[in-house]
Amino acid sequence: MASAKLPQSALNEAKRQLDLLRRGAVQIYTEEELLGKLARAVHKKRPLRVKLGMDPTAPDIHLGHTVVLRKMREFQDLGHKAVLIIGDYTARIGDPSGANHMRPVLSDKEIRTNARTYLNQAGKVLDTSRRKLEVRRNGEWLAKLSFADVLRLAAQMTVARMLERDTFEKRYRAGDPIGIHEFLYPLMQAYDSVVIEADVELGGTDQTFNCLAGRDEMRAAGLEPQIVLTMPLLVGLDGTEKMSKSKGNYVAVTDRAGEMFGKLMSIPDSLMENYFTLLTAMPASEITETLRLTHPREAKERLALQIVGAYWGPEAAGESAAEFRRIFSQKETPSEIPEVAVRASELGPDGRMGLARLVVAVGFASTNSEAMRLIQQGGVRLDDQVAADPKARVAVRPGAVLRVGKRRWGKLTLTS
């Protein structure tokens, strides 16, 4: 709570910071407590410790993940310290949030590999200087807990409260199995907050239960409870589902500039305000004016320029915009088509392979089922001929051009 004993200058600065941090947030538990922490931090010149946990369950970060990372960067820019928790131990369970089944257990190698890519990709958003960022792996402390320690943690939560969580409630009513180990996940995440003595924890709205458990665990440990600030889940390119790699409606942080630009130009007009607010630093008044006075296509191009520019630089963004206009307005072939390699060992004796497998092999789809869906929708062309049979076997000829959708082009090459 902001104290009247603090200097007015500290209170004024805390209010200024709170106004900035509210942008895009869904809920702050609680604003009054956050204002007090900010005021004390200003007065004592002690930065807040702002926690974000990320489980390395997949190798890529997409723009949906960056919504919370951008909020963490805002805290950094205001002088606070980001504490990024790489959940190498919680990943062994897998976060049950939003899941309708038990998640598969990852191998230690998969977790280590994914953790490295997460750090590299998160660095595209966060200030990675030591003064502004602390990176921890929760295996540092969770691996050392005894069974007695786990029992003490488990005693902080009742089964009744755990089943209030919508994910578990739906699965329980549907008769889907719930592993006892899944109940431990929010307790493990909460214990992370105790260990690092978090002042604030950030998360998407699907993390609300886990983050609030951290408040309870900190109280039980005799610590001042963390503030919880939740951000909305970014809607994907389809305009309906949350952004997800498994749904194929995502923009990866590692997407090439031209591909990222093209994907952003494909979003429904209804998403533009949301994307401007959550993925750019444009002031709210300017967003409103842009959407009110600018043609939707021009507004979308401005959005894409800002986002691509943030990851690849203004020059690459401008080149992507010019290439997009040339291809889609003038219906021309891209000036440069990147090469995509296919292993010769995957081809049959006749030099052919399954079309769906080819689409996956060059990275234009994540799974065979996604590739078959794209083929059935008429979105796959080989040498400018529509390939509509998902079961077809096609000749893989070096130099042939594979096109998937409007944005993915590749010139086939063979590698050993």
Side-chain angles (χ1 to χ4, degrees):
M1 184 178 295
S3 170
K5 296 180 181 179
L6 293 175
Q8 189 61 45
S9 59
L11 293 172
N12 290 342
E13 173 58 17
K15 289 175 182 176
R16 183 188 75 84
Q17 292 190 19
L18 180 59
D19 284 342
L20 293 172
L21 295 168
R22 281 194 190 105
R23 174 183 165 123
V26 175
Q27 187 68 52
I28 301 175
Y29 301 88
T30 65
E31 278 201 14
E32 184 181 14
E33 291 174 85
L34 178 55
L35 181 62
K37 280 183 180 275
L38 289 169
R40 292 197 300 274
V42 172
H43 179 56
K44 296 179 180 179
K45 295 182 171 56
R46 183 192 74 85
L48 297 181
R49 291 173 62 76
V50 183
K51 171 197 172 191
L52 172 63
M54 300 184 75
D55 284 352
T57 52
D60 294 327
I61 290 177
H62 55 61
L63 292 185
H65 297 121
T66 69
V67 171
V68 182
L69 285 169
R70 286 178 56 80
K71 183 58 63 178
M72 192 173 222
R73 178 60 187 259
E74 286 180 21
F75 272 97
Q76 288 183 307
D77 291 344
L78 291 171
H80 304 292
K81 186 152 192 174
V83 184
L84 183 64
I85 307 291
I86 301 297
D88 60 338
Y89 218 76
T90 39
R92 295 168 182 240
I93 293 178
D95 187 359
S97 301
N100 57 12
H101 57 271
M102 280 188 282
R103 297 183 186 274
V105 178
L106 299 179
S107 69
D108 289 344
K109 182 180 179 181
E110 288 174 310
I111 291 171
R112 287 195 302 271
T113 300
N114 293 346
R116 283 195 295 271
T117 67
Y118 269 35
L119 286 173
N120 292 336
Q121 293 169 55
K124 293 178 178 289
V125 179
L126 299 177
D127 181 338
T128 58
S129 64
R130 286 191 176 185
R131 188 171 62 87
K132 290 293 187 71
L133 177 65
E134 178 180 327
V135 180
R136 305 288 293 274
R137 287 173 167 79
N138 60 16
E140 294 175 36
W141 49 85
L142 292 176
K144 298 175 183 176
L145 293 180
S146 68
F147 196 71
D149 294 327
V150 175
L151 290 176
R152 279 193 289 272
L153 276 177
Q156 303 298 325
M157 181 77 70
T158 66
V159 172
R161 185 180 170 202
M162 195 69 77
L163 288 176
E164 289 174 1
R165 186 178 191 172
D166 59 351
T167 295
F168 289 142
E169 183 184 16
K170 290 174 184 175
R171 286 167 61 184
Y172 183 72
R173 291 185 183 281
D176 293 325
I178 302 172
I180 294 295
H181 68 292
E182 295 182 273
F183 281 0
L184 296 177
Y185 187 94
L187 301 178
M188 295 164 74
Q189 182 173 327
Y191 189 66
D192 293 348
S193 296
V194 172
V195 172
I196 68 160
E197 298 188 15
D199 290 301
V200 180
E201 180 166 16
L202 306 179
T205 51
D206 58 342
Q207 291 294 308
T208 303
F209 184 94
N210 294 344
C211 295
L212 291 177
R215 282 171 65 87
D216 295 339
E217 203 67 59
M218 292 183 79
R219 288 192 190 97
L223 299 172
E224 183 178 347
Q226 65 185 11
I227 307 303
V228 173
L229 188 155
T230 58
M231 296 295 291
L233 302 179
L234 191 70
V235 177
L237 302 178
D238 55 6
T240 54
E241 302 274 0
K242 77 171 185 177
M243 187 171 285
S244 166
K245 188 169 183 181
S246 63
K247 293 181 173 62
N249 65 352
Y250 68 101
V251 182
V253 169
T254 54
D255 280 344
R256 294 188 301 272
E259 183 177 5
M260 183 181 286
F261 192 95
K263 285 182 177 181
L264 290 167
M265 290 298 292
S266 75
I267 67 171
D269 293 352
S270 59
L271 290 185
M272 280 198 286
E273 182 175 7
N274 186 247
Y275 274 45
F276 267 119
T277 301
L278 299 177
L279 300 176
T280 79
M282 185 183 286
S285 57
E286 191 175 342
I287 294 172
T288 300
E289 184 177 1
T290 297
L291 296 178
R292 184 171 62 88
L293 300 177
T294 311
H295 187 278
R297 190 191 176 288
E298 294 176 7
K300 205 173 295 183
E301 182 172 300
R302 185 173 180 183
L303 171 68
L305 281 167
Q306 289 207 26
I307 296 174
V308 175
Y311 292 99
W312 294 100
E315 184 177 349
E319 291 172 354
S320 298
E323 183 79 345
F324 182 88
R325 293 188 208 105
R326 196 173 67 79
I327 295 170
F328 293 98
S329 298
Q330 302 171 26
K331 302 190 183 303
E332 296 182 17
T333 301
S335 55
E336 293 185 16
I337 300 177
E339 292 186 343
V340 290
V342 179
R343 291 185 182 277
S345 58
E346 292 195 51
L347 305 183
D350 58 356
R352 294 174 177 267
M353 72 185 300
L355 177 60
R357 177 61 199 146
L358 174 63
V359 173
V360 174
V362 300
F364 288 172
S366 301
T367 63
N368 276 340
S369 58
E370 181 187 349
M372 292 178 77
R373 176 176 54 79
L374 291 167
I375 295 166
Q376 290 168 339
Q377 292 172 348
V380 176
R381 289 174 173 262
L382 187 60
D383 278 340
D384 210 30
Q385 298 297 313
V386 175
D389 181 1
K391 296 181 180 179
R393 289 181 59 80
V394 296
V396 178
R397 179 181 57 79
V401 174
L402 179 68
R403 176 182 173 186
V404 176
K406 295 179 178 179
R407 299 177 299 276
R408 300 178 194 170
W409 299 71
K411 187 175 294 183
L412 301 181
T413 64
L414 290 178
T415 184
S416 57

